[in-house]
Amino acid sequence: TQLLEQSPQFLSIQEGENLTVYCNSSSVFSSLQWYRQEPGEGPVLLVTVVTGGEVKKLKRLTFQFGDARKDSSLHITAAQTGDTGLYLCAGAEGGNQFYFGTGTSLTVIP
Amino acid sequence: KAGVTQTPRYLIKTRGQQVTLSCSPISGHRSVSWYQQTPGQGLQFLFEYFSETQRNKGNFPGRFSGRQFSNSRSEMNVSTLELGDSALYLCASREGQGDEQYFGPGTRLTVT
């Protein structure tokens, strides 16, 4: 089983603050995806990173894939209430099966 | 393109019954994967179908089964329901191997 650990599990911050969510594994993945999920809905794909050391920016969100392709981080700058949700990372093994992380529940307080 | 659709959105069943959930993938996507999501276990992979054939299978008992039709629509069936089967069941579609997957809104199953 390819286990992906996310930290922190829960995060509650004030609007305007910055935060970083981590996704770690002992396994190497061919690619890694980040999703945000809102209550009662399916996860929505935010980004896919495929190259070790890759950094992708999506407005206020910055995603990084570790050099060894075993870990990733998501950094949010100046968090907004609309960023509230469950953040999930998922590692792909040869593009075939996806293994999901344990999730980080983010609450941004106005 | 329309997104992934799942029916029904909500379902309440009694222990021992069986249930069938349906998933229609994005047009042109031939792969459909099913996941179970619970607060305690997170998102767990059930199985994946590609061109009507099961390509991958997670670690779930045989009570969980699925199939895919020639139009790529997929169904999953759970027989002899248990209380622990209460969960959000998600399906995700993608064009083929190695592509990004897109999720449907899920079916919330409650077993009483």
Side-chain angles (χ1 to χ4, degrees), chain B residues 4-25:
Chain B
V4 178
T5 58
Q6 292 186 246
T7 56
R9 290 295 309 275
Y10 304 93
L11 205 49
I12 300 175
K13 289 286 188 178
T14 305
R15 270 181 304 176
Q17 288 185 315
Q18 74 165 18
V19 67
T20 299
L21 312 181
S22 181
C23 172
S24 292

Side-chain angles (χ1 to χ4, degrees), chain A residues 31 33 35 37 40-45 47-48 56 86 88 90 94-102, chain B residues 9 35 37 43 45 48 55-58 88 90 94 96-106 108:
Chain A
S31 67
Q33 300 183 337
Y35 295 84
Q37 183 179 22
E41 299 294 329
V44 175
L45 179 66
V47 79
T48 299
K56 276 192 175 178
L86 178 67
L88 295 160
N96 225 2
Q97 187 170 333
F98 292 88
Y99 298 89
F100 277 81
T102 47
Chain B
R9 290 295 309 275
Y35 294 85
Q37 187 176 33
L43 233 156
F45 173 74
E48 180 195 12
R55 185 160 70 175
N56 286 301
K57 189 177 189 303
L88 181 67
L90 295 159
R94 51 181 170 154
Q97 187 170 327
D99 298 304
E100 297 174 340
Q101 58 179 353
Y102 296 89
F103 282 85
R108 170 71 63 185

